[in-house]
Every structure is written in structure tokens, then in C-alpha cells.
Amino acid sequence: MEFENNINPHEDNSSITGLHLREQIEKYIRYWKWFLLAVFITFLYTFYSLNFQRRIFEAHSTIKIKNERQGDKSALSALGDMGIMGGTSKNNIDDEIEVLQSKSLIAEAIIALNLNVEFLTDKNYLSKFLDNNLGMNTKFYEIENYENPPLKINFFISDSALYEINSEFIITINSPNKYTFSNTKKSIVKTQSFGEKITTNFGDIIILPNVDLRKNNLIGSDILVSITSVKTLAKSYALGLAIEPIAEFSNVLKLAASDSNRKRAEDFLDKLVEMYNERSITLKKELTKSTSDFVNQRLKIISEELYNVDQAAEIVKSRFGASDAISSAGINLEAGRQVEQQIVNANTQLEQIVSIKGAVKNKGKNDIIPNVGIVDPTVANNINKYNELILNKKALLKNSTEKNPTVVNLTDQINILENNINQGLNNIESSQKIALNNYTKQYGIAQGRIYGAPKQDRAIRDVTRKQQTKEALYLYLLQKREETAITLGVAEAKARVIDKAETKEDSIAPKKKFSYLGALLAGLFIPFIILYLRDLLDSKIHSREDIERVLNIPIIGDIPKLEAKTDRYLIKKEDHTGIAESFRILRTNLNFILPKTDSNAGKVIFVTSTIAHEGKSLVATNLATALSHAEKKTIILGLDIRAPKIEPYLGVRGKVGITNYVINSKIKPEDLIISAPKNDYLDIVSSGDIAPNPAELLMNDRIKELFEFAKNNYEYVIVDTAAFSMVTDTLLLSQHADAFIYVIRANFLDRRMLKYVKFLFNEKRLPNMALLLNGLDQKKTYGYGYGYGYGSQLGEENKRPWWKFLS
């Protein structure tokens, strides 16, 4: 009767799933000590890190970017009706955010607040403990003296050099008058008096007390002076600065800045907005001044031309008697006067357009174009857009280069607008010339109507027309100069503060709860992933379940792993350890794999394995011993004649063995028998001398005679054979077996070798084959047969060494 497999094919799938889930959970739970250690280490590291991190606070403020076209109707925006600042396009909020976040603007705020020099005092408890007891130099000072710095330092280097320094040094206050200067490594130590010049690696400085040192309990204290380059600080503040509109298409921006000091975060945001407004006012003044310079230049030229025309008019009128000539023209000349006025206006516009074209042609790369006297709304609007883009580009170039994608995009837009402006001016000039030609023709017709008028009247009219043209242009430019002066006086800030900077009460970092939660997750995850990867890369067989997933072969039992250093274990009658009980269970389970017959012949049980060192000789000797303890007449045959192993386990060796028996026909089976020490029911047949041709010897007919003798004289015949994957010896003898115990060693045999075992079973190469799992680690498994409770394992002590705590 075959031994039933442990898995019921009709078992409920949900029960199997639950069992597998429990198996996976227990696989990790048995390493709970590793998880506990990992969580302890991550908690310890988190505690250490949190003690060397400053609390970070976040300040918030709200501003509104003025939209001079659609927003506030200020004095500056009112000038749009005069032609200088009119038609300004909607501010690009994204561009303004870029300006606010620019490192150059942030650097200006840092310099204005002197944030590059910091004074820190008082180490925390952990820092003091590590420094005093472990000899560490933590350099972590807890208190930042931003609002009331204890010292004042006068630098003898230029500001530009100071803003590039990165340095730290310690000032130890010895008395109200003296201090000790030292670097952080204590390799340079100098004692000085306050007010004396001291030389450092970055130049000479003078240190003065800024507060009453005794009153503030600073005598004997260390003060860490940290000087950081403005560039480095600007990068740090830029990372902690967040600016975004409160809603889409809104001009209201919400600013947020983070810092380890509440007051410093608020001051930084307020100063940033202040510097932004100063920059915007400066840019507007540059625009106004450029327009003013252009107007003054044109006034100077027109003034000279007007003077010349006035002199010419005076000469003509004096020569011809202007008053009589004008009065004689009469009503017939009214039409001519109207045409003359149109000619004057056309000449004025034409001259203004020529001057604007000259300004465009001669301007620099990033100069603005004056928008004065352009009546065409399209060209005037293009000039306003052009000037606005030039100002935005100048602002961006303070913090970037021409290769910046935003600057490149602005440059492309500027070039397109400049081409459009030139084309528009050319079109206006052409249209004005056409209009002037038409007015001249009309004027000729009017002159024909007054045919016969005196020659002096025509001369006076020509000079008067020129005089009126110059006067109109001169008066126009005078008006624009006054408008420009008003613009310069009423330039307003671009940003209006809605809410000044204010810091939230609670810090935003570090989040201690989240930090410890992260430490807990990391402490659980790290050993989990290590164990998971170990199992993923591990190809060994560890448990009964590993076999059952691949093979549907009966498993006759489990043999626990020997805890003793030696692998040569032999069961004793009085032995009640787990391994002894496992062999007794194996003895009982033999009945399920042995065929039932009416014959009184002994049962032949082969013990084999896939490869060497899986413990087949251990199983064979102990199984035979267990049977003999049950007073079953047993003999064990050492048929692994290539590498005999049973003799060391049993402690005896015969003078002759199986190889001698096969070769020498004079030797009888009875001559091979050796009685086991102190065991009347167990006999042994040794392997004999190692032969050069073991396979041929095992095919000898005398082997059959040996088996017949053993079956006729013993109840059980246990055969220790060679490993299967190594040689064919066991297959040559398999015809003599009633059952096969196939030993698989846990934590030793590769799972891929199970394919060979499956082949042997499916092809029925071995009769009544059953598997035996040897070397099973009881601590890593669960279920029946993995622990017995009848005593301690072999060699196991009640108290384990400390280093086995984690095993």
C-alpha cells in the first residue's frame, strides 16, 4: 500500500490559499528579531537626525501686480491719454513671477538684510553629549541670534569680496574685553581684545560686542560665526520661495518663503517685495528719461529751424508790406488758407515720422523707441509693446544670459515687432507724402482762382506756411516735455502689498510624526526586501512545501537538522530528542510504503539521494537502529561501495566486505556479518575494499545471493546505496528493492534537481518510492513533525550565547 500524499486534491481552494498566505507571513515573522533591530536602528538614526535639524517656518504675504491698462487708474496710467505711456499691454504675470524669483533680486534682498553673516550660540543636549563624551565636533549650535546678534564685525575687504566668502569660525568670550578666535578644527587659536584688528584667511576684521556680554550670560560661551556667500544663500532661498497667483488670470500673487527663523523669513519676504518695487520704479524712470532726452534733442533742432523761419518771415514782410497784401486777398483766399493748413499738418507729421525712423535706425540693441506724435494706432501700439518687452528683457538679463529660453523668446518677439514698426512707419510716410502731394495740387488750384494776386502776397504766404509748421511742431514738443516731467515725478511701484509677511505658528519641517513613521516603515521594509531578495535568489529546498509545489510524490517523514557540530548521529533507546522521535515516526511510516505480501521474507528498503552529502547514510544507519530497538531483526548492507559511510556511524568495520565477497567465491554471506555493539537485533555488512570497477561488481550474481540470504534471515534489510545523479549503481540494484526512501536534504539540494526526481517517479524506475526530507530547520517551519517536545535537541543547551540572539 502506498503512503498517501499530504495534499488532498479535493481540498477547498480557499483553505489552500489561506494556508499559503499564513506560510508567507510566518516565513517573515520568524525573523522578527531582525525586524525589531532594523526598526531600532532606523529610530535611532531618525532621533539623531532630528536633533541636528532646525525647525523650518514658513512666512506668507500677498501682493497685487498693478495692471496699468485694465487695473488701477493712477497718475502714471492717466498719461496714456497723452501718448507717452498710453496703450500699455496687460502685464505678463508669469514674467513678473520670474522676476520675483530671480536670484539677482533675492541676492539684493539678502545683501540689504545682511543675511550672509550669522551668529549662533548654545549647543543642544545631544550635541554636548557627543562632544564631551565621544570626542566629536558636531558644530551644531541651536540658537540663531538674528534679531539681536551678540557681536558686530567690521570687514576690511570690499563688499564684492565679502559676498563671495564661505567661512566659519568660533569666538569664545573670555571676558567683557577679551575673546579667543579659533577655526572649527581648533587648529588656529588666537586671543584678542575687542576692537583690535585680527588677520584671518579672508582678510582683516575687527570684532566688537553688540550687547552686554555679562548681562546676556555670554562669558565663557562659544559663538559660531558663519559667513555664507550670497550666491549660495540666493540658491537656498530660491528653493524655499514659492510664488503663485491666487486664481487663474489674477494679478494677486501669494508669496511663501521658508526659513529656520520666523522673523528672518518675514523680513526676507518684505524686503524682496521692496526691492522688486525699487527695480520697477527704476525701469520706469529709465523709460521716461529716454523719452525726455529725445524730446529735448528735437526741441533744440526745431528751435533753431523756427528762428531761421521767423527771420525769413520778417524780411519778406518788411520788403513787401505784408499788412496791405494780406488784407487785399479777401474772401477769395479763404479756401487757399484751409489747404495751406492741411499742408502744414502734413509736413508736421511727415517730419515727425522721419525723426522717429531715424531714432529706430540709430538706437542700440536694447534701447526703447520713443512713442511721440504717432497718430496711427497700430504703430503706436506696436511701439508700446516693443518698449514693454525691452524692459522685461532687461529685467531678465540681470539674472541670466541671452541664451536663456525666456530671453530668446522675448528677443524673437522684439525683432518681429521692430520689423512691424519699420514697415508701419514706411507706410505712414508714404501715405503722408501722397496726402502732401494732393494738398499741393489743391493749393495750386486755389492759387489759380486768385490769379492776378500780387507777387508779394504769394511770397508772404510761403514763408508764413513754413513759420506755422515749425511753430506747431515746437509747441507740440514743449507739451510732450512737460508730460514727461510729470511722468518722472509720479512713477509708482509695480506691486502693492495687500498682506505683509506673517509666519505660521507651527513649523513646516521637520515633521517628527512623519519622520518616525518613515523610520518605522524603513525599519520594516529594509529587512523585508533583504529577505525577499534572498528568497528570490535562493534556489535551495527549505521545507516540505517547497517539494510539494513541484512533486506529487509521497513524503514519508522529516528529519530535523542536527544542532551538534558532528553529523554522525546514532539513535539510542533512551534518546527522546526530536531527531530520535523523527526516526521512530519514520519506522512507523514504513508500513505505508512496503507492499503487503504473504511471504515471510524480509523487506528490502533502499536508501538513496540525488547527490552526495544529503544524509542517506545517516538515515540508513538510524532507521536500521530504530527498527532494531523495536526488536525487529535488521541488517544494514553498505552497497555504496564507491564512498562507504555506514561504518563511522555504527563504530565497527568488518575485515571483509561486499567487494571482497563478490571477488572471492570462497567467502560466504555468513562471513560478512558483524554484530552491532550492544545491539542483539542489528547486524552489519560492510562495503569492503574500494574496487576499480564497482558497476561490474554490482551486476555479479553473488549480489543476488547476498540479498536472498539477507531476506531469509532478517525481517528488514536496509541498503545504503550510491547517489543517483552520480552513478548508475543504484539502478543496477533496484530490482532487489521492495521500497525506496529517497533522501532530500533541506537547505542543500537545488530545486532544479527535483526535475530528475520527478522523472524517476513518473518513469517508475524505483519501486514504491517515497521522499524523506532531511536536515529540516525546526525554527523555520511549522506543523506536525517539526517539533516534538520530548527533550532538547542533540547538543542544545538551555542558555544560548548572546550572539545567537538574532538566529
Side-chain angles (χ1 to χ4, degrees):
M1 176 182 178
E2 291 192 354
F3 186 73
E4 295 292 337
N5 196 354
N6 290 348
I7 297 179
N8 184 355
H10 303 291
E11 187 176 357
D12 186 18
N13 288 334
S14 61
S15 300
I16 295 176
T17 303
L19 186 62
H20 288 171
L21 179 62
R22 178 185 173 188
E23 176 190 344
Q24 291 298 318
I25 294 174
E26 291 191 357
K27 181 172 65 175
Y28 293 102
I29 287 178
R30 63 172 172 259
Y31 294 103
W32 65 270
K33 295 174 184 178
W34 282 109
F35 284 95
L36 187 62
L37 178 63
V39 169
F40 173 75
I41 292 174
T42 53
F43 266 65
L44 189 64
Y45 175 78
T46 302
F47 173 77
Y48 177 85
S49 300
L50 289 175
N51 273 274
F52 289 94
Q53 292 182 24
R54 303 188 191 282
R55 296 175 65 192
I56 303 299
F57 300 91
E58 190 173 62
H60 293 269
S61 69
T62 309
I63 63 173
K64 181 179 181 181
I65 304 297
K66 292 180 185 287
N67 187 339
E68 295 168 355
R69 187 177 189 181
Q70 299 177 356
D72 301 331
K73 292 297 181 181
S74 61
L76 186 61
S77 62
L79 292 176
D81 298 333
M82 300 180 185
I84 294 180
M85 298 300 294
T88 305
S89 62
K90 184 178 183 295
N91 290 307
N92 190 327
I93 294 300
D94 291 337
D95 290 344
E96 300 306 321
I97 291 176
E98 285 295 325
V99 174
L100 280 165
Q101 289 180 323
S102 64
K103 294 184 179 66
S104 62
L105 188 64
I106 293 173
E108 292 176 13
I110 290 171
I111 293 172
L113 294 171
N114 295 320
L115 299 183
N116 57 317
V117 181
E118 190 176 12
F119 301 90
L120 302 104
T121 57
D122 296 341
K123 293 187 176 183
N124 60 16
Y125 175 79
L126 180 60
S127 184
K128 291 178 181 178
F129 174 82
L130 294 174
D131 291 350
N132 297 333
N133 296 278
L134 301 180
M136 298 177 65
N137 185 17
T138 56
K139 296 191 301 182
F140 182 79
Y141 291 79
E142 196 167 26
I143 299 177
E144 300 173 284
N145 299 274
Y146 167 70
E147 298 181 61
N148 192 23
L151 301 175
K152 180 181 179 181
I153 302 179
N154 295 327
F155 296 91
F156 287 85
I157 58 175
S158 64
D159 289 342
S160 59
L162 174 61
Y163 298 150
E164 295 179 357
I165 292 175
N166 284 293
S167 181
E168 287 184 345
F169 54 88
I170 297 173
I171 301 297
T172 303
I173 309 298
N174 300 328
S175 68
N177 301 317
K178 288 189 176 295
Y179 67 91
T180 298
F181 174 95
S182 61
N183 58 6
T184 54
K185 296 180 180 179
K186 301 291 184 180
S187 59
I188 300 176
V189 179
K190 301 177 183 179
T191 300
Q192 299 279 133
S193 297
F194 286 111
E196 291 182 350
K197 185 183 292 187
I198 181 172
T199 302
T200 67
N201 60 344
F202 52 82
D204 294 340
I205 61 174
I206 290 178
I207 299 177
L208 299 170
N210 197 47
V211 297
D212 189 329
L213 300 176
R214 192 179 299 280
K215 186 176 180 180
N216 286 272
N217 298 320
L218 291 175
I219 305 299
S221 299
D222 290 342
I223 300 175
L224 177 66
V225 181
S226 177
I227 305 175
T228 309
S229 69
V230 173
K231 184 177 181 180
T232 302
L233 274 179
K235 290 180 180 179
S236 176
Y237 274 95
L239 291 174
L241 180 64
I243 304 175
E244 59 182 9
I246 60 172
E248 191 174 7
F249 306 116
S250 173
N251 286 350
V252 179
L253 300 180
K254 185 176 182 181
L255 287 71
S258 56
D259 199 290
S260 56
N261 186 282
R262 297 172 185 266
K263 178 63 175 172
R264 188 164 58 199
E266 295 173 358
D267 290 349
F268 170 72
L269 271 187
D270 291 338
K271 183 60 68 173
L272 184 71
V273 175
E274 180 183 334
M275 302 306 293
Y276 170 78
N277 282 333
E278 287 183 7
R279 180 181 285 187
S280 66
I281 290 173
T282 301
L283 292 174
K284 288 179 182 178
K285 287 182 177 179
E286 287 180 5
L287 172 62
T288 306
K289 187 176 181 303
S290 176
T291 303
S292 178
D293 292 342
F294 173 78
V295 170
N296 288 330
Q297 183 181 5
R298 292 300 302 160
L299 273 173
K300 183 179 179 180
I301 296 172
I302 297 301
S303 178
E304 293 176 356
E305 293 177 352
L306 182 61
Y307 176 78
N308 295 331
V309 171
D310 287 344
Q311 281 188 329
E314 182 180 352
I315 293 171
V316 170
K317 289 180 180 179
S318 298
R319 181 185 302 172
F320 295 111
S323 58
D324 292 337
I326 295 173
S327 60
S328 65
I331 195 168
N332 294 327
L333 301 179
E334 185 64 28
R337 290 193 184 99
Q338 293 178 359
V339 174
E340 283 183 285
Q341 184 61 42
Q342 291 175 334
I343 292 174
V344 169
N345 293 338
N347 279 323
T348 301
Q349 283 292 321
L350 188 60
E351 188 169 347
Q352 183 64 19
I353 290 167
V354 171
S355 64
I356 294 293
K357 286 181 65 178
V360 173
K361 182 179 180 180
N362 298 322
K363 71 175 182 65
K365 184 178 181 181
N366 293 322
D367 290 342
I368 62 174
I369 299 173
N371 186 7
V372 180
I374 302 298
V375 296
D376 186 277
T378 302
V379 176
N381 188 44
N382 284 339
I383 292 176
N384 287 327
K385 288 181 180 179
Y386 177 90
N387 291 339
E388 185 175 351
L389 291 178
I390 286 292
L391 293 177
N392 288 338
K393 181 180 178 181
K394 285 183 176 180
L396 290 174
L397 284 175
K398 290 185 178 181
N399 191 42
S400 60
T401 64
E402 291 282 354
K403 295 182 179 180
N404 185 292
T406 304
V407 176
V408 172
N409 185 36
L410 284 176
T411 303
D412 294 340
Q413 296 181 49
I414 288 169
N415 293 335
I416 293 172
L417 282 174
E418 187 173 350
N419 292 332
N420 293 340
I421 291 169
N422 285 324
Q423 185 65 38
L425 290 173
N426 291 333
N427 294 338
I428 297 173
E429 184 180 16
S430 299
S431 64
Q432 287 296 328
K433 287 181 178 179
I434 293 172
L436 185 60
N437 290 333
N438 291 334
Y439 293 149
T440 303
K441 290 178 181 180
Q442 292 178 19
Y443 180 69
I445 295 172
Q447 281 187 325
R449 290 176 182 174
I450 57 172
Y451 178 75
K455 180 180 178 181
Q456 61 266 30
D457 183 58
R458 289 196 299 270
I460 292 173
R461 196 174 299 281
D462 287 338
V463 73
T464 302
R465 182 172 62 248
K466 293 180 180 178
Q467 188 180 31
Q468 290 174 344
T469 299
K470 298 300 180 182
E471 284 179 351
L473 185 57
Y474 184 78
L475 292 174
Y476 178 80
L477 290 175
L478 285 176
Q479 177 191 359
K480 294 306 174 183
R481 184 171 67 178
E482 291 303 316
E483 292 172 356
T484 304
I486 294 173
T487 301
L488 193 62
V490 298
E492 289 183 316
K494 202 167 190 178
R496 179 163 59 89
V497 177
I498 299 176
D499 291 321
K500 293 198 71 174
E502 185 176 351
T503 308
K504 289 184 177 181
E505 195 65 30
D506 297 329
S507 61
I508 60 170
K511 299 289 188 182
K512 290 189 176 181
K513 292 182 179 178
F514 288 103
S515 297
Y516 282 113
L517 177 61
L520 175 63
L521 295 177
L524 296 176
F525 178 76
I526 292 173
F528 170 79
I529 197 66
I530 292 174
L531 293 171
Y532 176 78
L533 291 176
R534 187 199 68 174
D535 291 342
L536 189 66
L537 300 175
D538 184 15
S539 61
K540 304 296 183 184
I541 295 170
H542 298 285
S543 66
R544 175 189 290 248
E545 288 72 24
D546 292 340
I547 300 173
E548 290 173 344
R549 291 191 191 100
V550 181
L551 303 176
N552 192 25
I553 303 174
I555 300 176
I556 196 173
D558 311 317
I559 305 299
K561 179 182 178 182
L562 286 172
E563 296 293 339
K565 292 183 179 180
T566 178
D567 290 335
R568 294 176 183 177
Y569 166 79
L570 190 63
I571 186 174
K572 297 180 175 60
K573 263 191 176 183
E574 63 278 6
D575 190 354
H576 296 290
T577 60
I579 189 170
E581 293 300 328
S582 67
F583 280 113
R584 295 186 180 106
I585 293 174
L586 175 61
R587 178 184 65 190
T588 304
N589 290 341
L590 282 177
N591 296 324
F592 295 99
I593 65 170
L594 290 172
K596 291 185 177 181
T597 62
D598 296 331
S599 172
N600 293 325
K603 306 299 183 183
V604 180
I605 303 165
F606 277 44
V607 181
T608 189
S609 63
T610 306
I611 57 177
H613 307 295
E614 289 198 71
K616 59 180 181 55
S617 298
L618 170 72
V619 172
T621 54
N622 281 278
L623 176 59
T625 305
L627 289 168
S628 67
H629 289 168
E631 298 184 354
K632 303 292 185 180
K633 192 64 176 175
T634 307
I635 187 172
I636 180 169
L637 305 180
L639 279 172
D640 186 359
I641 60 178
R642 296 176 186 266
K645 295 284 183 66
I646 64 171
E647 291 86 352
Y649 285 97
L650 298 171
V652 293
R653 177 181 175 85
K655 294 180 180 180
V656 293
I658 294 176
T659 56
N660 307 100
Y661 165 76
V662 174
I663 295 171
N664 191 350
S665 60
K666 295 180 180 180
I667 300 176
K668 299 179 180 179
E670 298 85 25
D671 299 333
L672 303 176
I673 304 300
I674 307 170
S675 297
K678 300 179 183 180
N679 193 336
D680 297 335
Y681 291 90
L682 178 61
D683 289 336
I684 306 162
V685 174
S686 299
S687 301
D689 300 329
I690 297 177
N693 55 343
E696 287 76 10
L697 292 178
L698 295 177
M699 295 173 63
N700 194 289
D701 290 339
R702 300 207 71 192
I703 294 295
K704 182 177 180 182
E705 295 176 7
L706 179 61
F707 274 105
E708 291 297 331
F709 169 81
K711 289 196 290 185
N712 292 332
N713 292 278
Y714 296 91
E715 296 180 64
Y716 289 95
V717 180
I718 307 300
V719 182
D720 179 34
T721 63
F724 251 97
S725 64
M726 310 294 289
V727 292
T728 61
D729 298 3
T730 304
L731 279 176
L732 295 175
L733 300 172
S734 62
Q735 57 184 325
H736 303 294
D738 293 316
F740 262 88
I741 297 177
Y742 201 102
V743 179
I744 295 176
R745 184 176 176 182
N747 307 311
F748 183 79
L749 185 67
D750 195 295
R751 289 192 185 99
R752 291 168 290 188
M753 298 298 291
L754 293 180
K755 295 180 180 178
Y756 181 66
V757 181
K758 186 176 183 179
F759 168 77
L760 293 174
F761 181 79
N762 292 338
E763 297 296 323
K764 302 186 184 303
R765 298 292 182 90
L766 307 178
N768 297 318
M769 176 181 173
L771 304 180
L772 176 68
L773 188 59
N774 180 39
L776 190 67
D777 192 344
Q778 297 181 47
K779 296 186 294 295
K780 298 181 180 180
T781 54
Y782 67 93
Y784 175 76
Y786 289 30
Y788 302 90
Y790 290 104
S792 62
Q793 286 286 4
L794 182 67
E796 183 180 0
E797 298 178 0
N798 292 330
K799 294 184 179 179
R800 292 186 296 172
W802 65 269
W803 50 268
K804 285 192 176 182
F805 169 74
L806 295 173
S807 62

